[in-house]
Amino acid sequence: MDYSIYDLVDAPVFVLVADDEGRPVYDFLNKVGRDRLGKGLDEIIGKAAHEVFDGRAAYSVFRHQLIAWQAGQTTCYEIALPLRDDKVWFRTSLVATHDEDGALVRMVGTSHDISAERSLLQQEVMTAAAAREVEDLVCLAAHDLRSPIGNMKSLAYLMRHDFVDHGDGKLELINMIDTLADKSLDVISETMAQVMAKSAPVKSGPFDFGGVCDDILVLLDPLREHSVSYPRITLDADYTAVQIIVRNLIDNAFKHADRDALRVEISVDQMNTRRLAICVRDHGPGFQQAPADADPATSVANGFGLMGVRRLVKARGGTVKFGAPATGEGAEVRVELPGQMIDPAPELSKVS
């Protein structure tokens, strides 16, 4: 079949067909896609994704394509790909074509670079978390001001009680203090109301936690230098927060490892009907770089990633604990957030 018309499209376009084993393999990739990938058609046609791409990205792309092919339906997915020393996020749409008997013939995929969009989304989330922290501080300060201003109003009342007005203006000053106290309390109440009104509930929805970890590791460990295990499970939680938190914790573990190959274990537990616990444990040097009484989240040696995690978790109504595992070496970070595990018995996926 002639696919040359796709070379006119200013975005990567590819065609998938089934090989003898029923796997989706490439039948075409347009010029834009070949240029981005740096390969010719002879290196692509007839091959599956894990035979075209390198590292973790290969299996992640193939997994998405295989699921779509087996379903035989038009679908869309997002994935990060390492291309010529760059890590690029793509949103790919796969359109299924069937014959008269309803059998799947081919799938045409179109990929669009959404790296800027993903970066902006993450910045918006982190900015919102920082803004929430400022709002919490304002709310706390406003709350603490209620007591001294209330005391000032009480003193004005006591001063006015049985006060003999000699016409020298003292009574007017007392009344002015009382009025200022009332206005101050009104401002405090209004400020607190505005802060609370901005605390809108976070929208949650089902997502594949294992898929999130897959995409993170494609970015952070494309050459599969480390061993990372995590559960294959569906979560009903805040996708963006979970993605940012897990990425920062894995990135922090990799950056501060004292070895070339690090072992990281990620677990998810259901604390109660409304709360999840995500634990990231590594077998590196741990938090021993910081003084014994220092907070790991604020230690300069640990960078700013953990500070961002703590701020984001707090903004999402969760808690975070930093420490050492109960047994063995390394570091352990436990994050609790609102959410639920949809699959009751997750299977562990180990990538080494």
Side-chain angles (χ1 to χ4, degrees), residues 1 33 41 72 102 110 128 149 183 205 234 250 253 264 282 288:
M1 185 173 180
L41 274 178
T110 306
I149 293 177
K183 290 183 177 180
T234 301
I250 294 176
V264 179
D282 68 65
Q288 61 187 11

Side-chain angles (χ1 to χ4, degrees), residues 119-145:
S119 177
L120 179 60
L121 176 61
Q122 179 162 331
Q123 290 297 323
E124 287 177 349
V125 172
M126 298 305 294
T127 300
R132 175 65 184 274
E133 187 172 4
V134 172
E135 291 171 356
D136 289 344
L137 180 61
V138 171
C139 194
L140 179 62
H143 182 272
D144 290 345
L145 284 173

Side-chain angles (χ1 to χ4, degrees), residues 44-312:
I44 298 170
I45 292 180
K47 295 183 179 181
H50 61 275
E51 298 167 331
V52 174
F53 296 96
D54 299 321
R56 297 182 187 273
Y59 295 94
S60 187
V61 172
F62 180 70
R63 179 175 61 86
H64 282 292
Q65 293 179 354
L66 181 62
I67 292 174
W69 187 269
Q70 291 174 342
Q73 298 178 349
T74 297
T75 188
C76 182
Y77 61 87
E78 296 180 2
I79 195 168
L81 297 177
L83 301 177
R84 296 184 177 182
D85 299 327
D86 289 331
K87 295 173 182 176
V88 184
W89 274 96
F90 287 99
R91 179 180 292 119
T92 298
S93 299
L94 285 174
V95 179
T97 301
H98 300 82
D99 60 19
E100 295 179 354
D101 297 325
L104 181 62
V105 177
R106 69 182 61 86
M107 300 191 87
V108 178
T110 306
S111 299
H112 296 280
D113 188 339
I114 59 167
S115 301
E117 177 184 331
R118 295 281 300 203
S119 177
L120 179 60
L121 176 61
Q122 179 162 331
Q123 290 297 323
E124 287 177 349
V125 172
M126 298 305 294
T127 300
R132 175 65 184 274
E133 187 172 4
V134 172
E135 291 171 356
D136 289 344
L137 180 61
V138 171
C139 194
L140 179 62
H143 182 272
D144 290 345
L145 284 173
R146 281 180 176 272
S147 181
I149 293 177
N151 291 338
M152 184 173 63
K153 183 174 176 63
S154 297
L155 287 174
Y157 173 81
L158 292 174
M159 292 171 61
R160 190 168 47 232
H161 184 67
D162 295 332
F163 182 83
V164 178
D165 185 10
H166 295 288
D168 55 0
K170 291 186 175 63
L171 182 60
E172 286 76 7
L173 289 176
I174 295 174
N175 290 335
M176 186 180 297
I177 292 174
D178 188 58
T179 300
L180 287 174
D182 285 334
K183 290 183 177 180
S184 298
L185 290 173
D186 290 339
V187 170
I188 290 174
S189 297
E190 183 179 350
T191 300
M192 294 180 66
Q194 290 179 357
V195 171
M196 296 303 292
K198 292 180 179 179
S199 304
V202 176
K203 293 183 179 180
S204 62
F207 63 90
D208 178 11
F209 180 77
V212 170
C213 294
D214 287 342
D215 292 339
I216 290 172
L217 290 171
V218 166
L219 290 172
L220 299 182
D221 187 29
L223 300 181
R224 300 166 65 93
E225 297 173 339
H226 304 287
S227 173
V228 186
S229 60
Y230 44 89
R232 289 285 177 188
I233 190 170
T234 301
L235 299 184
D236 186 0
D238 183 353
Y239 167 83
T240 304
V242 170
Q243 190 269 341
I244 292 175
I245 290 168
V246 173
R247 172 174 175 167
N248 274 273
L249 294 182
I250 294 176
D251 187 40
N252 187 77
F254 287 171
K255 284 180 178 178
H256 300 286
D258 59 350
R259 60 208 69 178
D260 294 332
L262 184 70
R263 182 157 57 95
V264 179
E265 300 163 358
I266 305 173
S267 62
V268 181
D269 296 305
Q270 190 75 55
M271 303 303 298
N272 53 47
T273 57
R274 298 182 178 180
R275 202 167 184 84
L276 292 169
I278 301 174
C279 185
V280 178
R281 174 187 176 184
D282 68 65
H283 295 262
F287 295 117
Q288 61 187 11
Q289 305 169 45
D293 58 346
D295 182 350
T298 59
S299 172
V300 174
N302 289 296
F304 295 98
L306 297 184
M307 294 177 64
V309 167
R310 187 170 64 176
R311 185 162 53 240
L312 178 57

